[in-house]
Amino acid sequence: DQFQQLVRADFPKLYVPNAVPGKAPALQPYQFRTEDNSATVNLAVNSFAYSTSRYPGFEAFKANLEGVWKLFSDFFEVLTFTRLGLRYINHLPIIREEGGSISLSRYVTAKLNIAPGFPSGKIHDLDFTISCEMPGGRLRFLMQNAKREDGLEVLILDLDFARQGPMDKDERP
């Protein structure tokens, strides 16, 4: 109730989770949403998450996240974390080439030196995941084509970077 008062101006909608048999109620997140449902703060006894469906760029995302994070961390005394992560997911509508192939260079400008011989040419279906250690944490990268419920074929790019293990609240990977 008190946290809701802190975020009500930016997140006026509150969604309380339904009871799930066999699951502790405190582990089910409360959702605080913006008026247009474009951003959400999920809060449970063991987790904090911020997500948005509008992404004007990393600096704006970071500023919004840090604003709500400051309210959270000032209100709740959390001294250590067991996981800190950042996840980016994008669904890009696919335009198939003549012959039905997908040209990855149309969607991904980074050089994909992920695996020797990774094809850059005539790809028809894609379902690729890699998980690797990186400085400061672990990266999981997924790239696949799929059809949404509305029938639109999309290329899903999913990058999840996380640091596991005990860390002080002011540490960042």
Side-chain angles (χ1 to χ4, degrees):
D1 184 43
Q2 295 171 344
F3 183 73
Q4 183 187 18
Q5 296 303 321
L6 291 174
V7 299
R8 185 184 303 262
D10 294 323
F11 298 88
K13 295 181 176 181
L14 171 63
Y15 293 83
V16 178
N18 292 325
V20 175
K23 189 169 183 183
L27 297 177
Q28 299 174 52
Y30 283 68
Q31 292 187 0
F32 304 86
R33 295 185 190 172
T34 56
E35 188 64 44
D36 64 359
N37 293 318
S38 66
T40 303
V41 172
N42 290 328
L43 189 60
V45 72
N46 67 339
S47 66
F48 169 92
Y50 170 77
S51 64
T52 182
S53 59
R54 293 199 179 129
Y55 187 76
F58 184 73
E59 291 305 318
F61 173 82
K62 181 180 174 186
N64 292 336
L65 168 61
E66 287 183 340
V68 73
W69 173 253
K70 179 162 178 25
L71 294 173
F72 170 81
S73 63
D74 287 350
F75 186 75
F76 296 101
E77 193 170 322
V78 178
L79 301 177
T80 60
F81 297 97
T82 56
R83 182 181 189 277
L84 183 61
L86 177 64
R87 189 168 186 192
Y88 173 83
I89 303 172
N90 203 347
H91 292 209
L92 304 167
I94 289 178
I95 300 170
R96 291 212 176 242
E97 304 289 319
E98 189 173 318
S101 65
I102 302 168
S103 174
L104 285 183
S105 63
R106 176 178 284 178
Y107 307 98
V108 181
T109 57
K111 187 174 181 182
L112 294 175
N113 267 347
I114 297 169
F118 190 83
S120 59
K122 304 215 178 270
I123 296 172
H124 294 275
D125 287 300
L126 186 62
D127 190 355
F128 180 81
T129 304
I130 188 169
S131 179
C132 59
E133 296 291 327
M134 298 191 69
R138 172 174 272 181
L139 174 69
R140 188 187 62 79
F141 172 70
L142 173 138
M143 186 168 38
Q144 71 181 165
N145 62 301
K147 285 218 181 196
R148 294 192 325 198
E149 289 179 12
D150 63 5
L152 181 66
E153 186 179 24
V154 293
L155 179 67
I156 300 170
L157 300 176
D158 183 345
L159 292 98
D160 187 0
F161 180 80
R163 181 171 172 190
Q164 299 274 134
M167 65 195 100
D168 292 333
K169 87 173 196 177
D170 295 325
E171 279 186 65
R172 293 185 187 153

